[in-house]
Amino acid sequence: MERDIFLNISPLDSRYYKSNRELMELLADYLSENSVIRYEVLVEGAIITVMEKYGTVPGGSARIMKKACQSITPEEVYEEEEKTRHNIRALVNVLQRKVSPRLAPFIHLSATSEDITGTAQALRMRDVFYRVVIPLCVKLMRILTDIGMKEAHTAQIGRTHGQHAVPVTVGFLFAGYADRFGGRLVKIAGAVKDLRGKISGAVGAYNAGSLIFEDPRKFEEDVLGELGLKPANFSSQIVEPEYMLDLMHAVVSAFGVLAQIGDDMRHLQRTEISEMGEKFEKGQVGSSTMPHKRNPWNFEHVKSMWKEYAPRMVTRYLDQISEHQRDLTNSASNRFTVEIITAFTLSVDRLVRQLPKILIDRVNLEKNIKTADGMFLAEPLYILLAVKGRPDAHEVVKRAALQAQKEGRGLFDVVEKDDAFREITMLDSWKKLSQNPAAYIGLAEKRAAEIAGYWQDVIRGIEKECNAFGETENG
Amino acid sequence: MERDIFLNISPLDSRYYKSNRELMELLADYLSENSVIRYEVLVEGAIITVMEKYGTVPGGSARIMKKACQSITPEEVYEEEEKTRHNIRALVNVLQRKVSPRLAPFIHLSATSEDITGTAQALRMRDVFYRVVIPLCVKLMRILTDIGMKEAHTAQIGRTHGQHAVPVTVGFLFAGYADRFGGRLVKIAGAVKDLRGKISGAVGAYNAGSLIFEDPRKFEEDVLGELGLKPANFSSQIVEPEYMLDLMHAVVSAFGVLAQIGDDMRHLQRTEISEMGEKFEKGQVGSSTMPHKRNPWNFEHVKSMWKEYAPRMVTRYLDQISEHQRDLTNSASNRFTVEIITAFTLSVDRLVRQLPKILIDRVNLEKNIKTADGMFLAEPLYILLAVKGRPDAHEVVKRAALQAQKEGRGLFDVVEKDDAFREITMLDSWKKLSQNPAAYIGLAEKRAAEIAGYWQDVIRGIEKECNAFGETENG
Amino acid sequence: MERDIFLNISPLDSRYYKSNRELMELLADYLSENSVIRYEVLVEGAIITVMEKYGTVPGGSARIMKKACQSITPEEVYEEEEKTRHNIRALVNVLQRKVSPRLAPFIHLSATSEDITGTAQALRMRDVFYRVVIPLCVKLMRILTDIGMKEAHTAQIGRTHGQHAVPVTVGFLFAGYADRFGGRLVKIAGAVKDLRGKISGAVGAYNAGSLIFEDPRKFEEDVLGELGLKPANFSSQIVEPEYMLDLMHAVVSAFGVLAQIGDDMRHLQRTEISEMGEKFEKGQVGSSTMPHKRNPWNFEHVKSMWKEYAPRMVTRYLDQISEHQRDLTNSASNRFTVEIITAFTLSVDRLVRQLPKILIDRVNLEKNIKTADGMFLAEPLYILLAVKGRPDAHEVVKRAALQAQKEGRGLFDVVEKDDAFREITMLDSWKKLSQNPAAYIGLAEKRAAEIAGYWQDVIRGIEKECNAFGETENG
Amino acid sequence: MERDIFLNISPLDSRYYKSNRELMELLADYLSENSVIRYEVLVEGAIITVMEKYGTVPGGSARIMKKACQSITPEEVYEEEEKTRHNIRALVNVLQRKVSPRLAPFIHLSATSEDITGTAQALRMRDVFYRVVIPLCVKLMRILTDIGMKEAHTAQIGRTHGQHAVPVTVGFLFAGYADRFGGRLVKIAGAVKDLRGKISGAVGAYNAGSLIFEDPRKFEEDVLGELGLKPANFSSQIVEPEYMLDLMHAVVSAFGVLAQIGDDMRHLQRTEISEMGEKFEKGQVGSSTMPHKRNPWNFEHVKSMWKEYAPRMVTRYLDQISEHQRDLTNSASNRFTVEIITAFTLSVDRLVRQLPKILIDRVNLEKNIKTADGMFLAEPLYILLAVKGRPDAHEVVKRAALQAQKEGRGLFDVVEKDDAFREITMLDSWKKLSQNPAAYIGLAEKRAAEIAGYWQDVIRGIEKECNAFGETENG
């Protein structure tokens, strides 16, 4: 059923589809309603495959079923659903018509709808993460760690509370992003690996299965094994929601790191700071009325998407509760989790496209670090004075700093002329710093390289796992 | 640009579009990306119209502009945006090409993008609420008040904490829904009426407008007046977010009342209660494996949608903050407000379709009220005893009730045989109640009718307003 | 029961109590558990008062009841609750013991617990808002409008997307805050005025009341009238939650405006911007290790409090649902709404204390506006060029701006030497702007004064209302 | 500073303190402001200890420091903070006064405030979880698994959508709770073990430390090692927020399982269902006006607390973002995380106190399972018919079920008289079920025991870990 995308309601399906069509098509393979049905029939197929192995259905049934499954369309199912008002019964009815009357009654037999939809959801999630989301996250990690390495030595004033603190390096900043996003990626991969399915029937107690199979728990393991999944340790009508919940937490918290990057980048692009800049494309317009404007709109966009999607985590927590063996009040809401994953993936992709083109303005980095004439050396001054045994070192230096600010004299000048600091001014370490305050970066360079290097190893491992998964499934 | 709806990501644009196509098409007229552009050109058009009145542009310009506006398509704009990376500049460029070089430079002149998008959003919201959402809410109010009237006298056991309390009536229950939803509807209508636009330029200070117009604030009023809107009392680059925020609060809190109705109905349909029931359509299936099941899935659906959408209100609160004269981190997120309105409207519609068909099981209503043998008459017993001056009335009755429960004797029996109640048992009021406990409904019947009647008046007024709006706009 | 405040769990009751003791004591009069009980007895008292008027209880009862009410302590009630496990029954038991056996049975008669707690909550809210919260908000409005007036003419570069846009004035910025916060204050006052009580009994149908009073709805009106309240149009066991919900929306959205102010102020205090500054008190320390630091910590604090409290609005939406005539799952959660009100009031107070001391750095304001050599005149340049009929004015100016940026020449220089702008450079308006770019403020000065003036009128009205309320209640 | 608890604002510090004083006192040892300061001095102490080992400070310093730390009081610190307006500088000043002038300058040297507060928070969290929270969760697990074991065979009708589905057992229900809560407990324990500290200075780059120590990263490891912690892989001014975030996710998601239990229990206590019941204590009152009421208020309370606290997770996600090397907008908000942990622990404790006393009403369990005369055997009927090869088995049985419902005949009667089922009625499996429908529990009994047994092993391990931790720390 075709329709103009600009008539869609969700910006994901119109504006953001249009602006990143290739990625959206990839995601649709796993996250669209079409994919829902495609994966559901995989589960119905696996049931028949195992039944054939068990001798419950005649030899050849699996092959026939596979063919039936491949020929099914969402349109057929939705048409049938208009009668049944039940999506899985509709699916089963359609499938039954596509096979022999001999096989038909065994389709879906002993399963409840949620055996199919819950398991199919786990499969779709696993596949989209291994094939699309994680590989894209790996790309982002590569970019972050590359900048971490390359700019490990590029001094930048550190900022706390929006105020100049003491220096770091650009590489250290990005190594930090890499470390945080890397940690999240490991959580995502872990949660994906722990997704579970179920074939335990209407209330999870294998009631129906017990009528057909000697060991219905083993039947469940075998069916899920066909699909590369394990059963939930416990299930009612539904798989315990916590497996998916942990994945969504990993995703939403990873989204938070993207928002951090977006937010930092847009602030570093402020007119007064201008240390970083989004690349401005040929022909691009910053403002419809102010021709001189260059806005950090891609970074602003990432933060805006996060603002839209992070609060949706609340719904995931609400959906933990399902009365008794289940009520359906988590059914519609659960369908919308795909929106979060889509928005997250689009945001990763936006950073993957923007960060490699980011302009690092070395002139302004240097200029900013020189603002206020090395005032931040107040910290090493205090440290050195304290090491010398001066109990009121902090107070003494604070007074000197205030005096310098008040009289507009620069900290060095005050320090040189104040007896309190005589001993300090003769120290080599102080002399070096006063000649080049930007050198006060501590271990920033070293740590940037170490952290970036650590994560480059880790992501190679994750990448291998994704590739291995791809081969198995396609083999 | 056509695409299979089943490839869309958002369930709104696939599953829920499919299941309520007519309403979704209506909503798309105001809430789709297509409508965004359609309304934006209306604003650009109004600017030229007023400029013509002012003599800023030659006579006939408004007519030419109108034609240009009508011929624009989202495809053109998006194609241009690939160059400009700026949606409104793209729109302006396309419009400029469609008019004479003489008129072209005046298009959008003195406006900033948000003058267009913010104003267009207010217009779309106003229109969709007056034409689609509010009329549908009025329908729901009619249904709720009708049941309130018709079932004003139908006794039903009241339940607090899931425990039998004292009786109400079915009409009283629905009058309560009507009162709560009616209150919300009045809030929605009020917030819609107070939506504002702006034509105050890049930072809201009419900087550019001051170069062209003597009184740019009046120009703003005139342009917005053309569109039936008023300017915000203050604006920066953007209209103050609180106008839309109040509307969204009204919508989300109205959604909460729908969820209350859905939740109550599904509990009243519990196997053990069975006082209400969703109509089961011919051919409908309750469970894919349990052929006997009849689930309250439509009511469950409404609650589930609410769970998905209510937490999204957090994003609206987050979007109140926009740095200085504005940052763009509320741009993408703001686009998603249409999803909440769509989900709310779909949920109103679902109740509009389900509630008139609801089965009210009078046998079970009566049966349930008789459960435990009039134990709830413990309340009037206590009241009557207290009125007689017995200080420990509550304690005495509690003991009697416990005794009745423990010995399985029924409250009447205990009361009759206990001297403490001799005086009471001779009262007419007690005799009546003990013969017909279901008569202990207080003012439930009267109030149900009064409240329902009150709201039937109010909604007639709201409906008139909607109709009047329709006529003006289409006239 | 006394306890060290530093052993409390909530930072409100330890750290923030300590740092603003006077205000916290005031709030405790209405928002503490102690106040809960104090207000509950007011409601029980009003019931007896009206009963005396009706002749249901003997003359003099109201006076006796009042005395009993005044002598009650939370300790007594909590001790009794250990037996009853029911807070209102405990309260009633304690009261009964304090009056004659003749009056005792009539205490609370026909009321359900929620008649007392729900009504008492409305009263406490009304009182705390009229007496503490709104007067404090009025103070903040006075400060905002004062700065709006005083600094109406002080030019400041406008910023969108963190980029220099075109100028506004400091007064215009603050007039904007005043307008937004003023709008919220009006909503708060409106919601407070619409708070409702109920005396409609266990399920809201006046079942018990019908046994005692001829017109129990009138009895409800009379009791609530004694307390200065109106009954909810409808109630079940509880007052419809939407009255309080609207108030909480008004509060949380007003909190958002505080967060906006806090956020703007802290960004304007960034080292590189330094247009505003928190006053640094004598002895104050900015950092434990960096003696030169001066952090905008009060403004950061306001935003941080908002981050903690705004999401709690979700609970208020969740609490709209209460099964059938009520379940208790909104009981504990409802108790926590006082935390939001406390945090909001503390944040208003913090701004009331900080904003009058804010440092407006006129040197930096001027310096920043001069950054980039009037590049923002690209906007008026484009406007003037377009008015002259140049269809590609935006593009032409964008090129000139890029050229100026690239060649580091300043916009004026490029403009003067480019034939395209010859006509413009001869315009008086352009000449004026090029001599004083900071004059490009449009109506900023005028609007700042108008808006500030408007709100000064409004708040005088609100203040009068608060005073009038104070007199009535204390009279 | 002593104050009446009933004057506190937060219900945690008044009502809920009063109702569970012992547990609240325990929690205050780790979660109060008092504990904040107590743990902060531990970190300052560890710094001196390692400095002594390194020879940076004279021998004996650690001992002197320890004494100083033990004598500090919150009052002193708060008094000093009134001057410094900086909590950690105040703490350091107070400590410095308590030691010799020789040691004084080394206190806090090279550390930034967040080195102390961030590390102290990790310590407090670790300790409160190992010593209070996890042991209490273990108790709850023991109760859940005990019921899972003991009631493994007790048949209960399964319910989906509030409708009777097919049977499970009470033990199976509780085994499910155990499995879900157990999974969360494992997550909690894992997150606690992964909490990190930092001693990396003002911007995380060891700038100051580099002036004093050869290897400041090693110094950090040694200081944290003293406290039993590891450093964050990366830190800016603050520890990466994701370590705490994961813990809070684990806690909030565990809270969701408590809410599930509370919700199920209160529904199972509905008058019409009455399968479970909260124990009613002697003297307890259910309603202030309805003496017969017995409300599941403890279970309602747990759900209500969850509604208040789960949405607060949003703030934790918002706090992931801290500009550049840090802004303070996560400072106040971060202080409130202790409220979530307190509410969670109180809720665990409430279930620990209530669940062992829960009344399992075997009569009603049996009665409910018999409702509708074995209608749920429609499922096995359909399965058996399908296994016999009937392709339209589901449809045939649905018709039979509808007929039975319509004609009020009972499913067995219809089945017996309908030729379609002749073959089935002769099967042993059907005969057994029709004689005892409650036997249709599948593997419920077996799985209940297996799952409960599995978790009893796991929690023994967790308990050992807690004990081992206790010994190390106290040894």
Side-chain angles (χ1 to χ4, degrees), chain B residues 159-160 163-164 272 293, chain D residues 159-160 164 269 272 293:
Chain B
R159 290 172 177 92
T160 56
Q163 304 294 302
H164 283 193
E272 289 88 351
K293 295 270 323 266
Chain D
R159 291 172 177 91
T160 55
H164 283 193
Q269 190 166 345
E272 289 89 351
K293 294 274 317 271

Side-chain angles (χ1 to χ4, degrees), chain C residues 156-210:
Chain C
Q156 178 183 36
I157 188 65
R159 291 173 176 91
T160 54
H161 316 267
Q163 305 293 302
H164 283 192
V166 295
V168 292
T169 68
V170 171
F172 186 75
L173 180 72
F174 278 82
Y177 299 146
D179 197 62
R180 290 178 63 189
F181 193 72
R184 297 298 92 197
L185 182 53
V186 168
K187 286 273 169 200
I188 288 174
V192 168
K193 239 175 284 179
D194 205 32
L195 288 172
R196 308 291 180 94
K198 69 161 290 227
I199 308 286
S200 58
V203 294
Y206 310 86
N207 311 51
S210 298

